[in-house]
Every structure is written in structure tokens, then in C-alpha cells.
Amino acid sequence: MSEGTNTVSENPIHASASEGSRKERLALWADEHLAKLLVIPTLVLLFSMTFYPMIRAIEMSMYQYTAGQRIGFVGLDNYVNLFYDSTWRNSLMVTAWYVFLSVTVQFVVGFVIAVLLNRKLKFRGLIQTLILIPMILAPTVIALVWRLLYAPGGLLDFIFYPIVGGNVGWISDSSIALYSLILTEVWQWTPLVVLVMLAGLQSVPDHLKEAAVMDGASRLRIFWDITLPHMKSLIVLILIIRVIDSIRVFDKVYILTRGGPGESTNVVSMEMYRAAFEFTNWGAAASMAISLLLIVLLIAITFVKIAEVKF
Amino acid sequence: MATKPETDTPVFETPGRFEKLYNEYEGTKWSRVAIYGGLSMYLLWTLFPVYWMVTGSLKTREGLLTFPPQWIPLQMEISNYVVLFTQRPEFWRFILNSMIVTIATTIIATFLGACAAYGFVAFDWPYDLDFHLPFYILSTRFMPPIVVAIPIYVIFRDIALVNTLPGLILLYVMFNVPFVVWMMKGFFDEIPDSLVESAMIDGHTHLGAFFKIVLPLAKPGLFASGIFAMIITWNELLFALIITHSADAATLPVGLSSLITQYTIQWELISVAGTIAMIPVLIFAFIVRDELVRGFSMGVDG
């Protein structure tokens, strides 16, 4: 390992270290190994809290558990069972639909709002600050607010009364509950798309647009041929981030529906939570965890490959 | 526009003419109405639920679900705030636990992350490790937390960390360090090497120069990543729910979620607790607005 700075020899402490006190020798030793000393605590922590648990999860997924007690090695049986488990398959479908719909709506709405904001406006700074609020609030708190809004006879029922003429089972009707969850997710995370896309729109170099204006290009043409290509990698990245973040949704589902009614909102995190902590079926839960990890990896790699994004 | 470099100006002799051309349709009255209308609607939609919870904490339980709704609280039931803590005294504990865990996590994660980031920025590592390791560190943020939550529960049970504050802090430090490393790396990159070199000629050790020169210069970065870690920790539910099961270690989000499991939902108390949970993040978030966006988008908005 070669140290970045080569001026150490001129340092009086380093020069006198051989005959120096214990303290000075310690200081010299610390400097010599500084790079490792600075980095190792973090690496050890991350290794023991992410890498090691994953290895444990792989191990757990190969055993059968009853009431939290390991009873025997079953190899890949848990994975095979998972393949035929209709509850798990349903939870994958529910999650896929949740992620697809909420990210699409967030992106479309967020982009439109960003385009609207990308001009000289009196209160732009204020708006940019205020729309931060949903994303900094705890998903738990947000889910509680929305549960109040969705409550029978609550505000949303009042607003929709003239159209529907009665209460809507926002979170109690199995054909509607998932869409109510998606609405909550969209509410919380559209602002992030707005702010990131706005930053992207503002990063398009003016001279490109000026040249296009000189050539007589229309606004739509400029947007399509200059702005969009310039923002391509930013768009892909915000989509990856939102997709990967929405796959992990738990808090909102836990507070709003607990996966119900029936299994209509039983997303993967909820299903794994129940397998592990309600049915203490650790083997099955661990095999779900590993499968989910592989799925997330696959999605991330696909995205990066498609867009040739460089981090 | 004001900072447009000299070389660009020959395109248009009169400053400001370009904006006029490009933003032409802002000139028409109807489009301006549409833009302002659209933005106002979006702002209303974004802020209303927050307003609804805060004002809800001042209504009676019946007042929360009246038909038509009480747009403005009628009787200002400030007593709700007292009722929450007399009916559910454990909420004091939840808030205290949340504060301990949040403060400890923020300090430890920011410190560890800043150290690691500097270790990667200031030194050349063999095999390009100063590129690969930060990338590995960041990639752990892509992993769904539930994936490690299950084995971590088992590991914590074996070493008696379940339902303890240190266990929770350890988990949250792991959760926040990747972001701190990534963010601080950007800040350290901008500090010139010559500052550290001259400090070392003056007789500081490299470690001393890091603490006395580099860290004070990176204060805005430490501040921003600290607040981001604070918000994430204060808000987290999944790990807290799994690792804790009593008021000894349960945090405020766990307390909040326990209010919903009761047979009758005490909406006025939920609104009170929710409002209390909102306050700290709202205060801190606005100080570091731009860095927050970078944090939530994992450094994309660079």
C-alpha cells in the first residue's frame, strides 16, 4: 500500500520516532496504518451485519423448523416448496403490480410537475421545500394519516359520496385495498421524482437549447431531441431507486392492511414477516429472503445493463 | 442565466432575449393559469394529509370522522396531548428510547462513515480497492432490509441483543453507514491535499490533521449526513418491530403501530402521537434540503 502523501519524512514526529516516547511511537504506528484503521471498523460492521446474516440465511433456508426449533436438514426442499406455494407466488404478483403501478404513476406525475416547475416562478424555492415533507415523514405516521383518510365515513368517503353514494371500502374491499396502498406510496415518493427530475432539467446546457432555438426548433422538438436524451441516465437511475425501494415496502402495508383483506395486499415483506414471526417457519422465511435477494439483484443488473449506466 | 459564460453571449446580443424565445408560451395568460393551477393542486394534495393529522390531534374522536368533515378543529382539544400520556404512560419510554437510539446512531454512524470515507479518499489502495470497496458499501443499501432482518433476529437472540437498545443502535449504524460514506466521500474529494500536507509539515500527525483540519472543513457534510441518518433512524419500523417487544427498547414507530391493533381505534390519540413523531424530522429536514434529496436518491442528484 502506498501512502498518498510523501512529505511524512519532513515531519518532526516521524523523524524522532525511534527515540520518542511511547505516545509518539503510537502516533507513528497509527499514521503508518491510518488507511486501514479508518476503514476497517466500517467494513467489519457491514460485513457482520449484511454479509454474515446472508450466509446465515442461506444456511437457515436448508433446514426445517418447527416453532422456531431446527429439526432437520432438508437441502433445497424449502425452495422447491416455495415454487409450489401459491401464497408466495401471489405475494410476488402483488408486489410486482404494486411496484410497477406506483413507480409508473410517481414517474409520470413527478415528471410533469418538474416540467411545470422548471421556469421562473415566484415561489419555486418554497414549493421545492414544502414538497419535501412527505418523504421525510415516517412511513408509519403516513400510513396512519391515510388510514384515517380511508376510514369508513372519513374524508375520502365524504369527497366521493356524490359519485358513489355510500362508503367505499378503501382498505376493506379486496379489489380496492391494493390501489389505496399504491396511492399512499405515490403520495409519499412523487416529490423525490419531482426534485431529481427538476435538477436534471436544469442541468441541460443552455447553449444546446439556444442553438436549437436558432435553428427554429419547436419547444416539443427541443424537449424530445435535447432534454430527454440528456436526462436518460438520470431517469434510469431514479427508476432503479424507486423500484428497489418500493420492493421493500413493509410499514405502509403493516399499518394499513396487514396484507389483507384475504391476501390481496400481501406483499413479499409482509409474507416473509408472517412466515418468520407469526408461524416461526424460519426455513421457509429464509428461503424467501434469499429468493427475494436474487430477484432484486437481477432487476438491478438488468436496469444497469439496459441503460449502460455508470455509477 | 446570470452566470452564463462570456463565450455564449454572441449568440444573442441582448441579454434576456433567449429566455423570452424559449419560454415564449409562458406569455399567454391561459398557460400561466394552467401552470399555477396545476402546481397549487399538487401542493394542496401533498400538504393536506399532514394538515389533517396535525389538526386531527386537536379534535374529539367523534369530531375526526364527522359527516361533513370538520375542516378546522372546532373546540381545540389540547387535552388529547395529556390523555395520550396518562392512558398510555409507556409513550414516554417510546419517545425516550427513540431519542437515545437516534442520537447514538447518528453520532456513531456519522463518525465511522466519515473515517471510512477519508480512508478511501486520502490513500491509494491496491487493486483499486478505493473504488471497489465504497461501491460494495453503497450496494448494501439496495438490499431489502427484511432479507437480513430474519437471520439478524436469530443471531441477536443467540447473543442476547434482542429487545435491547445497543442491539437496535448496532443495526441502525449498519443501516446508515453506507450513505454517510458515500456522501462524505464527495465532501472530502473537494478538500485539497496540500492542506493536510502543510499541516503535517507543521508537526501534526496525519491522524491529527484529519481531526483538526479535515473534519472541521467537512462540517457541512457531517451535518447533512448526520441529519439524514437521524431522519432514517427516527422513522424506522421494521427492525424495531422485529428486535424489540416491550417498552424496554421499543421505539416510537413501534408504539404508534401498537395503537392501531386495538379494537376501537383511538384516532385522536393516534393523531397526537403521529404529530409528536413528525416534529423533530420537520425541524431538522429543512436545514439541509438539497443534501436530503441527494440522500434519498443515493447520490444520484450530484
Side-chain angles (χ1 to χ4, degrees):
Chain A
M1 183 188 316
S2 66
E3 243 72 333
T5 31
N6 292 320
T7 47
V8 279
S9 54
E10 290 165 47
N11 191 320
I13 290 183
H14 291 264
S16 64
S18 51
E19 68 265 24
S21 66
R22 244 181 97 93
K23 204 175 160 190
E24 277 170 351
R25 279 209 304 277
L26 189 69
L28 177 62
W29 178 84
D31 261 26
E32 224 169 79
H33 301 279
L34 189 58
K36 280 172 269 176
L37 285 175
L38 288 172
V39 166
I40 282 173
T42 297
L43 285 182
V44 168
L45 182 79
L46 279 179
F47 192 83
S48 58
M49 300 297 269
T50 57
F51 202 70
Y52 174 64
M54 277 179 209
I55 297 192
R56 285 293 294 267
I58 294 174
E59 187 215 346
M60 285 165 71
S61 72
M62 299 190 175
Y63 285 88
Q64 199 187 342
Y65 286 79
T66 301
Q69 293 304 312
R70 184 177 285 190
I71 51 173
F73 183 81
V74 291
L76 295 176
D77 278 8
N78 282 324
Y79 293 94
V80 176
N81 291 342
L82 213 53
F83 193 77
Y84 295 106
D85 181 350
S86 61
T87 311
W88 170 248
R89 278 208 307 251
N90 171 66
S91 74
L92 284 177
M93 293 311 293
V94 168
T95 310
W97 187 226
Y98 179 89
V99 170
F100 174 76
L101 207 57
S102 62
V103 174
T104 308
V105 177
Q106 277 165 44
F107 183 74
V108 172
V109 176
F111 206 103
V112 169
I113 302 289
V115 169
L116 290 185
L117 271 173
N118 186 30
R119 63 196 73 231
K120 284 209 171 86
L121 286 177
K122 245 183 204 146
F123 303 108
R124 195 171 83 186
L126 182 69
I127 295 174
Q128 274 174 275
T129 306
L130 287 177
I131 62 173
L132 265 180
I133 292 176
M135 52 200 234
I136 58 172
L137 295 182
T140 317
V141 173
I142 286 165
L144 286 170
V145 183
W146 281 89
R147 187 149 177 176
L148 174 62
L149 292 169
Y150 290 140
L155 190 74
L156 279 171
D157 275 343
F158 172 76
I159 293 170
F160 280 82
Y161 190 79
I163 307 165
V164 195
N167 287 351
V168 180
W170 296 103
I171 50 174
S172 57
D173 183 329
S174 59
S175 59
I176 298 174
L178 186 62
Y179 298 97
S180 302
L181 284 176
I182 291 171
L183 188 69
T184 311
E185 180 80 16
V186 167
W187 179 80
Q188 186 177 17
W189 289 109
T190 303
L192 182 68
V193 181
V194 173
L195 295 173
V196 172
M197 289 297 107
L198 186 58
L201 286 171
Q202 287 172 343
S203 75
V204 180
D206 287 331
H207 65 87
L208 285 181
K209 287 191 282 190
E210 278 174 43
V213 172
M214 290 300 283
D215 292 345
S218 66
R219 287 179 59 90
L220 197 67
R221 197 59 206 243
I222 294 175
F223 183 77
W224 201 252
D225 286 347
I226 296 175
T227 310
L228 270 189
H230 191 84
M231 292 176 67
K232 187 183 154 203
S233 62
L234 194 63
I235 290 172
V236 174
L237 277 169
I238 192 72
L239 288 178
I240 301 179
I241 286 157
R242 288 313 310 139
V243 164
I244 292 192
D245 260 4
S246 336
I247 289 176
R248 59 173 68 163
V249 63
F250 175 79
D251 311 23
K252 293 187 187 88
V253 181
Y254 183 79
I255 301 282
L256 277 166
T257 63
R258 292 274 161 112
E263 288 176 3
S264 61
T265 60
N266 197 23
V267 293
V268 279
S269 294
M270 195 67 218
E271 171 61 17
M272 282 160 69
Y273 176 82
R274 281 158 79 171
F277 300 100
E278 276 176 30
F279 307 120
T280 55
N281 195 348
W282 297 103
S287 63
M288 291 174 192
I290 299 300
S291 312
L292 180 63
L293 190 67
L294 292 178
I295 292 169
V296 170
L297 255 173
L298 207 69
I299 291 172
I301 291 170
T302 317
F303 261 118
V304 173
K305 278 267 151 61
I306 289 175
E308 293 163 342
V309 176
K310 286 191 191 74
F311 281 91
Chain B
M1 276 299 152
T3 56
K4 195 159 56 174
E6 284 293 317
T7 48
D8 278 4
T9 41
V11 180
F12 295 101
E13 294 82 8
T14 8
R17 207 176 131 214
F18 167 66
E19 283 111 281
K20 220 172 155 191
L21 266 174
Y22 183 63
N23 292 328
E24 213 163 13
Y25 89 35
E26 269 180 60
T28 75
K29 200 172 117 197
W30 287 113
S31 63
R32 215 178 310 146
V33 168
I35 289 164
Y36 276 98
L39 288 175
S40 315
M41 293 279 282
Y42 181 69
L43 208 56
L44 181 72
W45 146 261
T46 305
L47 296 180
F48 183 79
V50 181
Y51 167 84
W52 199 241
M53 170 150 275
V54 175
T55 53
S57 72
L58 301 167
K59 296 176 189 167
T60 59
R61 192 179 310 168
E62 296 73 36
L64 271 156
L65 290 171
T66 51
F67 208 83
Q70 278 181 25
W71 298 104
I72 297 163
L74 290 177
Q75 55 282 84
M76 291 290 167
E77 290 287 327
I78 298 168
S79 59
N80 285 342
Y81 283 78
V82 182
V83 173
L84 174 72
F85 291 103
T86 45
Q87 254 191 41
R88 303 288 301 262
E90 67 272 27
F91 261 81
W92 286 118
R93 251 334 262 282
F94 295 149
I95 291 173
L96 183 70
N97 289 341
S98 266
M99 283 168 70
I100 294 170
V101 169
T102 304
I103 291 169
T105 304
T106 305
I107 293 171
I108 299 171
T110 312
F111 178 73
L112 283 183
C115 285
Y118 187 73
F120 290 124
V121 170
F123 299 91
D124 294 321
W125 289 71
Y127 312 113
D128 279 342
L129 279 181
D130 47 342
F131 170 76
H132 293 297
L133 283 177
F135 186 72
Y136 160 75
I137 289 173
L138 186 74
S139 70
T140 59
R141 269 216 61 191
F142 283 90
M143 167 199 67
I146 188 88
V147 169
V148 287
I150 291 168
I152 278 179
Y153 174 80
V154 176
I155 296 166
F156 273 24
R157 201 182 47 179
D158 293 344
I159 55 177
L161 277 177
V162 167
N163 206 26
T164 63
L165 292 179
L168 214 49
I169 293 167
L170 193 64
L171 258 174
Y172 287 153
V173 170
M174 170 277 283
F175 211 57
N176 283 299
V177 145
F179 163 73
V180 178
V181 172
W182 203 250
M183 189 139 164
M184 290 313 296
K185 215 171 153 282
F187 276 89
F188 290 143
D189 275 335
E190 276 162 30
I191 295 176
D193 290 344
S194 57
L195 278 175
V196 179
E197 283 165 26
S198 61
M200 286 172 71
I201 294 172
D202 289 347
H204 287 291
T205 58
H206 199 166
L207 188 65
F210 172 60
F211 279 109
K212 289 188 197 115
I213 315 263
V214 177
L215 279 187
L217 277 174
K219 229 184 245 168
L222 292 172
F223 195 63
S225 31
I227 288 180
F228 188 76
M230 195 212 96
I231 293 173
I232 297 287
T233 311
W234 181 263
N235 288 346
E236 210 280 337
L237 173 70
L238 177 62
F239 281 126
L241 197 67
I242 288 171
I243 297 298
T244 68
H245 47 73
S246 78
D248 289 337
T251 55
L252 194 52
V254 179
L256 275 165
S257 74
S258 75
L259 286 172
I260 207 90
T261 56
Q262 264 131 38
Y263 194 65
T264 51
I265 299 177
Q266 296 170 298
W267 283 117
E268 74 288 5
L269 300 189
I270 287 178
S271 306
V272 168
T275 306
I276 291 172
M278 278 181 195
I279 294 168
V281 287
L282 284 182
I283 291 173
F284 283 106
F286 290 128
I287 310 173
V288 290
R289 188 187 79 190
D290 295 335
E291 281 80 4
L292 272 183
V293 175
R294 200 173 305 155
F296 281 115
S297 54
M298 299 189 204
V300 161
D301 175 37

